[in-house]
Amino acid sequence: MNGKPAVEFDGSNDTLLTSAFAPNPNGSYNIAAVHEHNAVNVGQQLGSSWSGTQATQNFQCLMMSNAKLRFAVRYNNNALPRPDSAATFSTGVQIISTATFAHGSCEAFYNGTNELDKFSQNVSAHPNNNSRAMALGTRSDNGAAPLQGTLQEFIVFSNSTAHDAEDLSDELNEYYGAF
């Protein structure tokens, strides 16, 4: 895509799965993805470290069935802030998604547009820190919501200080030229 390498997911059974992932967010998650979708009317996971049990959920990044994007991170007070995109996306559009989740804040950028939590969650705690599987292209705990499209970057990192999601978005856009 745009002359840069990409991993293609066929929407049926493609996934990249770790056996264990220990994020150690130290107070913050910083997540960045560069992706394009062949379908936007079905739910699709880009990346996740997720489970059906709230206590062990870490994060997920997904295209929802309404053609909007979502980052979600579970906090250790069970809050689940979700800065969904206000805009919908079309097939064949390269998208740069970045997010920062930290004590007292959460924000995401979707192709340069800032979004905050739409669900008024209490982010006065820290993001969860659970060692569990991480997957690219499907939900990590059950293989649901397979990705139909390409993924060029998926970065999860943590610091004691949250990075600026807007700076991450701008830096990725300088390289990929998506917006």
Side-chain angles (χ1 to χ4, degrees):
M1 290 174 26
N2 283 355
K4 311 271 190 303
V7 177
E8 186 170 352
F9 293 84
D10 66 9
S12 64
N13 60 357
D14 297 340
T15 189
L16 297 169
L17 182 66
T18 66
S19 58
F21 173 71
N24 190 22
N26 293 326
S28 68
Y29 271 108
N30 302 280
I31 306 170
V34 180
H35 47 103
E36 185 174 305
H37 298 269
N38 297 335
V40 293
N41 58 347
V42 294
Q44 305 168 57
Q45 291 282 338
L46 289 121
S48 70
S49 177
W50 206 248
S51 74
T53 305
Q54 289 183 1
T56 59
Q57 294 172 338
N58 289 326
F59 66 86
Q60 63 177 333
C61 177
L62 68 146
M63 170 67 75
M64 298 183 295
S65 59
N66 61 0
K68 294 183 178 187
L69 290 164
R70 169 178 284 172
F71 278 107
V73 168
R74 180 71 66 184
Y75 280 58
N76 58 19
N77 64 355
N78 282 330
L80 183 64
R82 302 172 299 270
D84 295 353
S85 66
T88 57
F89 290 90
S90 301
T91 59
V93 173
Q94 189 177 34
I95 304 165
I96 295 175
S97 304
T98 61
T100 298
F101 293 86
H103 184 271
S105 68
C106 85
E107 70 175 334
F109 284 81
Y110 302 103
N111 275 356
T113 300
N114 181 248
E115 300 292 348
L116 302 174
D117 177 36
K118 306 282 193 296
F119 299 92
S120 301
Q121 294 291 296
N122 176 1
V123 293
S124 63
H126 291 287
N128 272 357
N129 180 21
N130 296 292
S131 180
R132 53 177 305 99
M134 182 179 115
L136 297 179
T138 60
R139 189 169 152 159
S140 62
D141 62 335
N142 61 14
L147 176 58
Q148 298 178 47
T150 55
L151 190 58
Q152 289 181 285
E153 297 268 357
F154 195 87
I155 304 164
V156 179
F157 57 102
S158 58
N159 284 355
S160 58
T161 303
H163 290 279
D164 186 300
E166 184 175 21
D167 288 346
L168 294 171
S169 179
D170 291 344
E171 291 292 325
L172 283 169
N173 190 53
E174 280 186 35
Y175 183 73
Y176 288 102
F179 60 89

